[in-house]
């Protein structure tokens, strides 16, 4: 099977692979490729198909095929720079040039999940000399076909696309990612952008972990009341408002509605999770009499515990536009197994009776002689010793593969020396490409056990819904910025989406260039700019700075005597920011603020937390085993705040691994960092903070700014 017959025969196209890899059918011989720019800028959608809405997915607000077409139109316009017309037609004008959207025209048996069930997510893409046809077995299938076309457009450098017809369908219905929003606040705009990014790679679930708390066995916390906890949904009922500690870090009902709608319009269902009876410090701070001695566990012998959790679900169930919800049920006390099992079963029955929704829980070992979790509850397996995937399948459960060895991340810092360790701070791509440390064995959702290769599920096993990777904020809200979370997930989302889509069938990933593929496609994915790109002549040529201020023509776009608008927003990771200053100044963007105070303190502020420049040795924190981590017993770095003397030339570099580092008049001065507690509060370490460069507005005593692509150091 040819890897890319659908692409034009150019060097860059043949070197790169779509993500997920597509399953190709016929390639038309002796036919001329389409020059994409010569296509008529019209999208036609079959009127009989335009109002089609899928019923087989999890969302309760499925878009119509026409709504998907409207989003596709916007994406095309963004990528091509052209204006595209979208028309509903009673019959597709096959003689016309353009892009046609409609129903899949083949045998539905061609498009199934790996377990043999038919899917609305399958599609065909047919390229002829004059036009391109995208047909879906459902509205979502048509949508995923548009993602394939846009990727092929990018991979061919927007030039020619070879003739042929492909058919493609996912191996698994669940292809998702989880974000821990209970130990870190994420703004609505960020959540929607992350959803858009995942959709481009055909992920279809966003597991939103809405409540949690910092581990009680870590950090210098005098009392349990001081430990960070968060319930990130804002109840409308006044009787429930006591669960909220920081109202500015919550999503209102309107926020959550908009979030879900945005994701649904791109084929992604939001799966909300409210965690109980463990990880429930937000509840026990509100109602201390419901807590066990380990204060983030609910006392399930107290009937008010279940009633309180039910009251939360009764409030939020009308918000949740999905057929399945997640009730957490993670890491409770196994000595209270019967209480736990009764709680889970009772809560699942309550949610079903109120809304008809199915329930997911984390796999949790709760040994009982008499009781079992109801078989209609979906188990999200995350660790051996907590659940056994083979046994779950044999016992008739539906399950999801989130095995921690491949799926888990601990943002900014792994758990060393806590067992099980380590959970990587950036998604570990090698665990997908070499599952179980077996060279060349690529993971897919049937693979759970990284040690015993024989203890896996059958490909397409009836109970296996698919897979979800998980990004945890175990190190607390100040350990990462929102954009650092994206950069940690940036490679994981495309690569897991690819392997969950392909399963055991079709093409595997080309390991020699998969990371280059991700970098290329991630930076260009339409509808979002999580990379925080800066465009311009220098970005295309690689020569000269991306931004120079004041500009060569001398126009500084002055707003007033105190501030100037640069209007570039932020520059994402892998940059060099050069600042020449004679007095205190502030650089601002929607993401971060950089301030040099009159006192000489140089500080980045992001997500409400300020991080001063601290003195570190230039090579500290560059240990490949623990990127960015400086252990507390390392004496070469003092971590004391650095004072900047004016006038000064600052050279600031930013990348996710090395962090944001500062050179002052050509000499390394330190980095911005955060103190992380690990090892059950027995080990402390400093970890790098990586900030994007703020280039939206400048105030104060700056007389020159340059922003360059790449991290490098110039002399003073």
């Amino acid at each position: 099977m040819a890897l890319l017959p659908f692409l034009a025969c150019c060097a860059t196209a043949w070197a790169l692979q779509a993500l997920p890899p597509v399953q190709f059918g016929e390639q038309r011989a002796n036919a001329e490729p389409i020059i994409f720019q010569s296509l008529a800028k019209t999208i036609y959608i079959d009127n009989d198909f335009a109002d089609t809405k899928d019923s087989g997915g999890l969302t309760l607000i499925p878009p119509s095929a026409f709504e998907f077409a409207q989003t596709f139109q916007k994406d095309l316009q963004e990528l091509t720079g052209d204006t595209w017309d979208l028309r509903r037609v009673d019959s597709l004008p096959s003689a016309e040039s353009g892009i046609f959207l409609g129903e899949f025209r083949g045998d539905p048996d061609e498009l199934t999940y790996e377990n043999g069930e038919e899917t609305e997510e399958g599609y065909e893409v047919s390229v002829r000399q004059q036009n391109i046809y995208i047909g879906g077995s459902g509205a979502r299938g048509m949508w995923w076909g548009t993602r394939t076309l846009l990727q092929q457009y990018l991979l061919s450098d927007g030039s020619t696309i070879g003739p042929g017809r492909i058919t493609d369908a996912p191996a698994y219905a669940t292809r998702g990612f989880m974000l821990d929003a209970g130990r870190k606040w994420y703004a609505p705009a960020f959540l929607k952008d992350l959803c858009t990014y995942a959709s481009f790679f055909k992920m279809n679930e966003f597991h939103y972990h809405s409540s949690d708390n910092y581990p009680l066995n870590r950090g210098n916390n005098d009392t349990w009341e001081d430990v960070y906890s968060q319930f990130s949904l804002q109840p409308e009922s006044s009787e429930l408002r006591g669960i909220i500690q920081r109202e500015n870090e919550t999503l209102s009902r309107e926020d959550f509605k908009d979030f879900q709608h945005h994701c649904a319009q791109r084929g992604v269902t939001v799966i909300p999770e409210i965690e109980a009876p463990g990880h429930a410090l937000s509840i026990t701070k509100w109602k201390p009499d419901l807590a066990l001695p380990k204060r983030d566990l609910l006392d399930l012998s107290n009937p008010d515990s279940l009633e309180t959790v039910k009251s939360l679900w009764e409030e939020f169930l009308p918000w949740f536009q999905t057929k399945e919800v997640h009730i957490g049920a993670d890491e409770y006390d196994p000595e209270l197994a019967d209480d736990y099992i009764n709680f889970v079963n009772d809560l699942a029955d309550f949610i079903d009776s109120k809304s008809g929704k199915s329930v997911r829980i984390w796999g949790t070992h709760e040994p009982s002689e008499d009781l079992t979790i109801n078989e209609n509850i979906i188990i999200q397996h995350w660790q051996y010793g907590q659940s056994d995937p083979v046994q779950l399948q044999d016992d008739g459960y539906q399950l999801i593969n989130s095995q921690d060895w491949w799926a888990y991340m601990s943002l900014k810092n792994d758990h060393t020396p806590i067992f099980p360790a380590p959970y990587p701070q950036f998604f570990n791509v090698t665990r997908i490409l070499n599952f179980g440390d077996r060279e060349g064995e690529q993971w897919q959702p049937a693979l759970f056990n990284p040690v015993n290769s024989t203890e896996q599920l059958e490909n397409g096993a009836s109970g296996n819904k698919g897979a979800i990777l998980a990004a945890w904020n175990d190190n607390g809200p100040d350990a990462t910025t929102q954009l650092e979370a994206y950069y940690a997930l940036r490679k994981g989302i495309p690569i897991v989406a690819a392997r969950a889509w392909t399963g055991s069938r079709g093409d595997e990933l080309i390991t020699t260039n998969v990371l280059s593929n991700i970098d290329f496609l991630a930076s260009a994915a339409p509808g979002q700019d999580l990379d925080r790109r800066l465009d311009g002549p220098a970005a295309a040529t690689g020569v000269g700075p991306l931004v120079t201020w004041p500009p060569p023509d001398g126009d500084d776009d002055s707003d007033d005597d105190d501030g100037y608008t640069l209007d570039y927003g932020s520059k994402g990771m892998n940059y060099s920011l050069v600042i020449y200053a004679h007095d205190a100044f502030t650089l601002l963007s929607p993401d971060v603020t950089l301030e040099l105070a009159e006192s000489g303190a140089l500080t980045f502020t992001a997500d409400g937390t300020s991080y001063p420049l601290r003195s570190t040795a230039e090579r500290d924190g560059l240990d490949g085993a623990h990127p960015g981590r400086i252990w507390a017993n390392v004496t070469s770095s003092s971590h004391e705040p650095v004072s900047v003397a004016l006038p000064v030339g600052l050279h600031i570099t930013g990348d996710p691994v090395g962090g944001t580092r500062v050179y002052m008049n050509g000499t390394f001065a330190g980095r911005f960092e955060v103190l992380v507690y690990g090892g059950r509060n027995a080990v402390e370490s400093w970890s790098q903070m990586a900030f994007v460069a703020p280039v939206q507005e400048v105030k104060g005593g700056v007389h020159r700014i340059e922003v360059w692509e790449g991290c490098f150091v110039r002399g003073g």
Side-chain angles (χ1 to χ4, degrees):
M1 181 182 294
L3 292 174
L4 292 172
F6 189 52
L7 293 178
C9 297
C10 60
T12 55
W14 283 104
L16 297 175
Q17 181 184 37
L19 297 172
V22 294
Q23 300 175 51
F24 288 95
E26 66 190 56
Q27 183 180 12
R28 294 190 177 92
N30 303 319
E32 293 294 323
I34 284 182
I35 300 173
F36 198 90
Q37 290 300 327
S38 69
L39 277 177
K41 304 304 183 288
T42 304
I43 305 166
Y44 300 94
I45 185 168
D46 188 330
N47 218 9
D48 290 338
F49 187 72
D51 294 325
T52 297
K53 292 185 177 183
D54 290 353
S55 60
L58 293 184
T59 183
L60 295 175
I61 47 173
S64 67
F66 185 74
E67 289 176 286
F68 277 131
Q70 290 176 309
T71 307
F72 173 51
Q73 178 190 24
K74 294 175 184 175
D75 290 345
L76 262 180
Q77 291 178 162
E78 178 184 333
L79 289 184
T80 66
D82 297 317
T83 299
W84 287 74
D85 187 24
L86 174 60
R87 302 180 188 175
R88 296 175 65 135
V89 293
D90 291 331
S91 61
L92 295 175
S94 58
E96 296 293 328
S97 174
I99 298 175
F100 301 159
L101 306 177
E103 190 173 13
F104 177 67
R105 298 176 299 186
D107 182 349
D109 290 341
E110 292 182 64
L111 304 178
T112 66
Y113 294 120
E114 198 160 342
N115 62 12
E117 293 181 3
E118 290 187 8
T119 171
E120 296 164 320
E121 296 190 88
Y123 67 90
E124 65 171 306
V125 179
S126 181
V127 179
R128 300 185 178 185
Q129 195 166 2
Q130 294 287 329
N131 54 56
I132 300 171
Y133 181 82
I134 303 174
S137 58
R140 283 174 298 153
M142 185 203 75
W143 168 254
W144 300 133
T146 68
R147 303 304 89 186
T148 291
L149 179 62
L150 293 181
Q151 285 196 26
Q152 304 293 9
Y153 170 81
L154 291 167
L155 293 171
S156 66
D157 198 27
S159 56
T160 57
I161 297 179
R165 178 178 181 268
I166 69 170
T167 58
D168 199 9
Y172 289 88
T174 292
R175 311 176 304 279
F177 69 101
M178 189 221 77
L179 184 66
D180 176 4
R183 286 176 280 203
K184 167 71 182 176
W185 164 243
Y186 294 98
F190 175 83
L191 296 174
K192 291 191 290 185
D193 281 351
L194 199 56
C195 215
T196 299
Y197 178 77
S199 169
F200 190 62
F201 300 99
K202 303 190 178 85
M203 265 195 172
N204 66 350
E205 291 189 14
F206 187 158
H207 176 172
Y208 182 75
H209 185 80
S210 71
S211 61
D212 213 318
N213 51 268
Y214 191 75
L216 290 179
N217 51 14
R218 296 199 216 165
N220 289 335
N221 299 295
D222 295 330
T223 64
W224 61 274
E225 293 98 332
D226 297 328
V227 174
Y228 182 92
S229 63
Q230 176 64 355
F231 193 91
S232 64
L233 304 175
Q234 185 183 121
E236 294 179 314
S237 169
S238 59
E239 295 179 1
L240 302 177
R241 296 302 288 269
I243 201 169
I244 299 301
Q245 296 178 52
R246 290 167 298 280
E247 190 165 333
N248 65 325
E249 294 184 1
T250 58
L251 299 177
S252 68
R253 184 170 187 168
E254 191 60 33
D255 289 334
F256 202 77
K257 177 182 178 181
D258 183 50
F259 170 35
Q260 293 176 103
H261 179 265
H262 176 91
C263 291
Q265 293 292 307
R266 291 184 172 271
V268 180
T269 301
V270 177
I271 306 295
E273 177 184 358
I274 297 175
E275 176 74 86
H279 300 262
L281 196 60
S282 291
I283 298 176
T284 59
K285 284 181 181 178
W286 170 35
K287 296 187 174 185
D289 56 315
L290 300 184
L292 288 173
K294 188 174 185 301
R295 306 297 293 190
D296 60 350
L297 300 183
L298 290 175
D299 179 2
L300 297 182
S301 67
N302 186 334
D304 287 343
S305 291
L306 177 59
E307 293 308 309
T308 296
V309 176
K310 283 182 177 179
S311 70
L312 291 170
W313 279 101
E314 191 161 21
E315 170 84 356
F316 292 109
L317 278 171
W319 293 30
F320 299 155
Q321 299 299 319
T322 171
K323 299 175 187 176
E324 295 180 7
V325 294
H326 205 301
I327 64 171
D330 187 26
E331 295 184 303
Y332 196 66
D333 187 342
E335 295 183 2
L336 304 174
D338 286 358
D339 289 342
Y340 168 88
I341 293 170
N342 283 325
F343 170 87
V344 169
N345 290 341
D346 288 349
L347 186 57
D349 288 344
F350 174 80
I351 289 171
D352 177 52
S353 68
K354 289 290 183 180
S355 65
K357 300 182 191 299
S358 298
V359 161
R360 298 178 181 182
I361 66 170
W362 296 102
T364 302
H365 178 58
E366 298 293 340
S368 173
E369 294 183 2
D370 304 311
L371 301 176
T372 59
I373 299 294
N374 288 344
E375 287 184 14
N376 59 350
I377 294 174
I378 301 155
I379 311 297
Q380 190 164 346
H381 167 83
W382 69 278
Q383 188 180 96
Y384 283 93
Q386 298 291 339
S387 60
D388 180 345
V390 174
Q391 190 65 51
L392 290 171
Q393 169 73 24
D394 290 345
D395 290 343
Y397 289 98
Q398 287 188 302
L399 66 154
I400 294 167
N401 186 346
S402 290
Q403 170 64 39
D404 61 352
W405 188 88
W406 73 263
Y408 270 29
M409 307 163 55
S410 177
L411 297 181
K412 187 49 61 68
N413 221 306
D414 65 31
H415 283 192
T416 302
I418 299 176
F419 180 82
Y423 291 160
Q425 66 195 76
F426 301 94
F427 187 83
N428 192 328
V429 171
T430 61
R431 294 184 179 180
I432 299 296
L433 300 179
N434 305 294
F435 183 71
D437 296 325
R438 293 182 286 274
E439 186 72 25
E441 180 176 339
Q442 295 193 11
W443 169 89
Q444 48 100 352
L447 300 179
F448 288 78
N449 194 323
V451 178
N452 189 336
S453 60
T454 65
E455 292 187 2
Q456 315 296 357
L457 295 189
E458 295 292 327
N459 295 327
S462 59
N464 192 0
K465 290 168 66 70
I468 294 176
L469 70 89
W472 296 101
N473 283 292
D474 289 348
N475 296 297
D478 61 347
T480 60
T481 68
Q482 296 182 68
L483 287 174
E484 278 186 295
Y486 159 68
Y487 278 97
L489 281 161
R490 186 174 182 267
K491 292 180 172 65
I493 284 175
I495 205 164
V496 171
R499 296 303 299 140
W501 179 280
T502 301
S504 67
R505 63 194 189 186
D507 291 338
E508 292 190 335
L509 296 168
I510 302 173
T511 58
T512 54
N513 62 8
V514 66
L515 298 184
S516 299
N517 281 18
I518 292 171
D519 284 340
F520 177 73
L521 291 171
S523 64
Q528 57 79 42
D529 182 22
L530 290 168
D531 270 7
R532 298 298 192 261
R533 301 180 296 269
L534 283 186
D535 299 322
T541 64
V543 177
L546 301 174
V547 174
T548 302
W549 182 86
D553 60 10
D555 181 8
D556 57 19
D557 190 21
S558 175
D559 290 332
D560 52 50
D561 291 340
D562 297 320
Y564 303 94
T565 298
L566 307 177
D567 206 25
Y568 290 104
S570 301
K571 170 65 179 79
M573 303 303 179
N574 192 28
Y575 67 82
S576 294
L577 170 65
V578 179
I579 304 169
Y580 296 99
H582 57 271
D583 204 346
F585 67 82
T586 305
L587 290 181
L588 303 98
S589 80
D591 301 305
V592 294
T593 299
L594 174 64
E595 181 179 19
L596 177 60
E598 295 285 354
S599 65
L602 184 66
T603 306
F604 261 108
T605 300
D607 300 347
T609 300
S610 295
Y611 305 84
L613 175 64
R614 295 181 180 274
S615 177
T616 60
E618 189 168 6
R619 299 301 301 173
D620 283 355
L622 299 181
D623 176 7
H626 303 283
R629 192 167 189 171
I630 304 177
W631 297 94
N633 60 1
V634 173
T635 58
S636 49
S637 293
S638 72
H639 308 286
E640 292 297 320
V642 173
S643 182
V644 177
L646 292 164
V648 68
L650 297 173
H651 189 121
I652 302 173
T653 64
D655 77 271
V657 177
T660 299
R661 301 159 70 82
V662 177
Y663 297 81
M664 195 164 15
N665 300 324
T667 301
F668 182 74
R671 67 177 193 170
F672 302 90
E673 54 187 3
V674 62
L675 184 62
V676 172
Y677 298 92
R680 295 187 170 84
N681 203 24
V683 177
E684 298 177 0
S685 59
W686 291 87
S687 289
Q688 86 286 5
M689 294 297 300
F691 302 102
V692 295
V695 280
Q696 180 66 21
E697 186 178 357
V698 57
K699 297 180 179 180
V702 174
H703 57 266
R704 185 169 178 81
I705 296 172
E706 296 174 1
V707 181
W708 297 73
E709 187 72 38
C711 297
F712 59 89
V713 181
R714 298 194 316 194

